[in-house]
CSV table of all heavy atoms in Angstrom, one decimal:
chain,number,residue,atom,x,y,z
A,11,ALA,N,17.4,-3.5,-12.7
A,11,ALA,CA,16.1,-3.1,-12.4
A,11,ALA,C,15.5,-2.2,-13.6
A,11,ALA,O,14.4,-2.2,-13.9
A,11,ALA,CB,16.1,-2.3,-11.2
A,12,VAL,N,16.6,-1.5,-14.3
A,12,VAL,CA,16.1,-0.6,-15.4
A,12,VAL,C,15.8,-1.5,-16.6
A,12,VAL,O,14.7,-1.3,-17.2
A,12,VAL,CB,17.2,0.4,-15.7
A,12,VAL,CG1,16.8,1.2,-16.9
A,12,VAL,CG2,17.4,1.2,-14.4
A,13,SER,N,16.6,-2.3,-17.0
A,13,SER,CA,16.4,-3.1,-18.2
A,13,SER,C,17.5,-4.1,-18.4
A,13,SER,O,18.6,-3.8,-18.1
A,13,SER,CB,16.3,-2.1,-19.5
A,13,SER,OG,16.2,-2.9,-20.7
A,14,THR,N,17.1,-5.2,-18.9
A,14,THR,CA,18.1,-6.3,-19.2
A,14,THR,C,18.8,-6.2,-20.6
A,14,THR,O,19.7,-6.9,-20.9
A,14,THR,CB,17.5,-7.7,-19.0
A,14,THR,OG1,16.5,-7.8,-19.9
A,14,THR,CG2,17.0,-7.8,-17.5
A,15,THR,N,18.2,-5.3,-21.4
A,15,THR,CA,18.6,-5.2,-22.8
A,15,THR,C,19.0,-3.8,-23.2
A,15,THR,O,19.8,-3.7,-24.2
A,15,THR,CB,17.5,-5.7,-23.8
A,15,THR,OG1,16.3,-5.0,-23.5
A,15,THR,CG2,17.1,-7.2,-23.4
A,16,THR,N,18.5,-2.8,-22.6
A,16,THR,CA,18.7,-1.5,-23.0
A,16,THR,C,20.0,-0.9,-22.3
A,16,THR,O,20.1,-0.9,-21.1
A,16,THR,CB,17.5,-0.6,-22.7
A,16,THR,OG1,16.4,-1.1,-23.3
A,16,THR,CG2,17.8,0.9,-23.2
A,17,PRO,N,20.9,-0.3,-23.0
A,17,PRO,CA,22.2,0.2,-22.4
A,17,PRO,C,21.7,1.4,-21.5
A,17,PRO,O,20.7,2.2,-21.9
A,17,PRO,CB,23.0,0.7,-23.6
A,17,PRO,CG,22.5,-0.1,-24.7
A,17,PRO,CD,21.1,-0.4,-24.5
A,18,ILE,N,22.5,1.7,-20.5
A,18,ILE,CA,22.2,2.8,-19.6
A,18,ILE,C,23.0,4.1,-20.1
A,18,ILE,O,24.3,4.0,-20.2
A,18,ILE,CB,22.6,2.5,-18.2
A,18,ILE,CG1,21.7,1.4,-17.7
A,18,ILE,CG2,22.4,3.7,-17.3
A,18,ILE,CD1,22.0,0.9,-16.3
A,19,THR,N,22.3,5.1,-20.4
A,19,THR,CA,23.0,6.3,-20.8
A,19,THR,C,23.6,7.1,-19.6
A,19,THR,O,23.3,6.6,-18.4
A,19,THR,CB,22.0,7.3,-21.4
A,19,THR,OG1,21.1,7.8,-20.5
A,19,THR,CG2,21.3,6.6,-22.6
A,20,GLN,N,24.4,8.0,-19.8
A,20,GLN,CA,25.1,8.7,-18.7
A,20,GLN,C,24.0,9.5,-17.9
A,20,GLN,O,24.1,9.6,-16.6
A,20,GLN,CB,26.1,9.8,-19.3
A,20,GLN,CG,27.3,9.1,-19.8
A,20,GLN,CD,28.4,10.2,-20.3
A,20,GLN,OE1,28.0,11.3,-20.4
A,20,GLN,NE2,29.5,9.7,-20.7
A,21,GLY,N,23.0,10.0,-18.6
A,21,GLY,CA,21.9,10.7,-17.8
A,21,GLY,C,21.2,9.7,-16.9
A,21,GLY,O,20.8,10.1,-15.8
A,22,GLU,N,20.9,8.5,-17.5
A,22,GLU,CA,20.2,7.6,-16.7
A,22,GLU,C,21.1,7.1,-15.5
A,22,GLU,O,20.6,6.9,-14.4
A,22,GLU,CB,19.8,6.3,-17.5
A,22,GLU,CG,18.7,6.6,-18.6
A,22,GLU,CD,18.4,5.5,-19.5
A,22,GLU,OE1,19.4,4.8,-19.7
A,22,GLU,OE2,17.4,5.4,-20.1
A,23,GLN,N,22.3,6.9,-15.7
A,23,GLN,CA,23.2,6.6,-14.6
A,23,GLN,C,23.2,7.6,-13.6
A,23,GLN,O,23.3,7.3,-12.3
A,23,GLN,CB,24.7,6.3,-15.2
A,23,GLN,CG,25.6,5.8,-14.0
A,23,GLN,CD,25.1,4.5,-13.6
A,23,GLN,OE1,24.9,3.5,-14.2
A,23,GLN,NE2,24.9,4.4,-12.2
A,24,ALA,N,23.2,8.9,-13.9
A,24,ALA,CA,23.1,9.9,-13.0
A,24,ALA,C,21.9,9.8,-12.1
A,24,ALA,O,21.9,10.1,-10.9
A,24,ALA,CB,23.3,11.3,-13.6
A,25,VAL,N,20.8,9.6,-12.7
A,25,VAL,CA,19.5,9.5,-12.0
A,25,VAL,C,19.6,8.3,-11.0
A,25,VAL,O,19.2,8.4,-9.9
A,25,VAL,CB,18.4,9.2,-13.0
A,25,VAL,CG1,17.1,8.8,-12.2
A,25,VAL,CG2,18.1,10.5,-13.8
A,26,LEU,N,20.2,7.1,-11.5
A,26,LEU,CA,20.3,6.0,-10.6
A,26,LEU,C,21.2,6.3,-9.4
A,26,LEU,O,20.9,5.9,-8.3
A,26,LEU,CB,20.9,4.8,-11.4
A,26,LEU,CG,20.0,4.3,-12.5
A,26,LEU,CD1,20.7,3.1,-13.2
A,26,LEU,CD2,18.7,3.9,-11.9
A,27,ASP,N,22.3,7.0,-9.6
A,27,ASP,CA,23.2,7.5,-8.5
A,27,ASP,C,22.4,8.3,-7.5
A,27,ASP,O,22.6,8.2,-6.3
A,27,ASP,CB,24.4,8.2,-9.0
A,27,ASP,CG,25.3,7.2,-9.9
A,27,ASP,OD1,25.2,6.0,-9.7
A,27,ASP,OD2,26.1,7.8,-10.7
A,28,THR,N,21.5,9.2,-8.1
A,28,THR,CA,20.7,10.0,-7.2
A,28,THR,C,19.8,9.3,-6.4
A,28,THR,O,19.6,9.6,-5.2
A,28,THR,CB,19.9,11.1,-8.1
A,28,THR,OG1,20.9,11.8,-8.9
A,28,THR,CG2,19.1,12.0,-7.2
A,29,LEU,N,19.2,8.2,-7.0
A,29,LEU,CA,18.3,7.4,-6.2
A,29,LEU,C,19.0,6.6,-5.0
A,29,LEU,O,18.4,6.5,-4.0
A,29,LEU,CB,17.7,6.3,-7.2
A,29,LEU,CG,16.6,6.8,-8.1
A,29,LEU,CD1,16.2,5.6,-9.0
A,29,LEU,CD2,15.4,7.3,-7.4
A,30,GLU,N,20.2,6.2,-5.3
A,30,GLU,CA,20.9,5.5,-4.2
A,30,GLU,C,21.5,6.5,-3.1
A,30,GLU,O,21.4,6.2,-2.0
A,30,GLU,CB,22.0,4.7,-4.8
A,30,GLU,CG,22.7,3.7,-3.8
A,30,GLU,CD,21.7,2.6,-3.4
A,30,GLU,OE1,20.8,2.3,-4.1
A,30,GLU,OE2,21.9,2.1,-2.3
A,31,GLU,N,21.9,7.6,-3.5
A,31,GLU,CA,22.5,8.6,-2.5
A,31,GLU,C,21.8,9.9,-2.8
A,31,GLU,O,22.4,10.8,-3.5
A,31,GLU,CB,24.0,8.6,-2.7
A,31,GLU,CG,24.7,7.4,-2.4
A,31,GLU,CD,26.2,7.4,-2.4
A,31,GLU,OE1,26.7,8.6,-2.7
A,31,GLU,OE2,26.9,6.5,-2.3
A,32,PRO,N,20.6,10.2,-2.3
A,32,PRO,CA,19.9,11.4,-2.5
A,32,PRO,C,20.6,12.6,-1.9
A,32,PRO,O,21.2,12.5,-0.9
A,32,PRO,CB,18.6,11.1,-1.9
A,32,PRO,CG,18.8,10.1,-0.7
A,32,PRO,CD,19.9,9.3,-1.3
Side-chain angles (χ1 to χ4, degrees):
V12 175
S13 174
T14 58
T15 59
T16 304
I18 299 179
T19 65
Q20 290 183 351
E22 288 172 337
Q23 183 61 56
V25 170
L26 295 178
D27 292 340
T28 301
L29 284 174
E30 189 65 26
E31 296 182 3

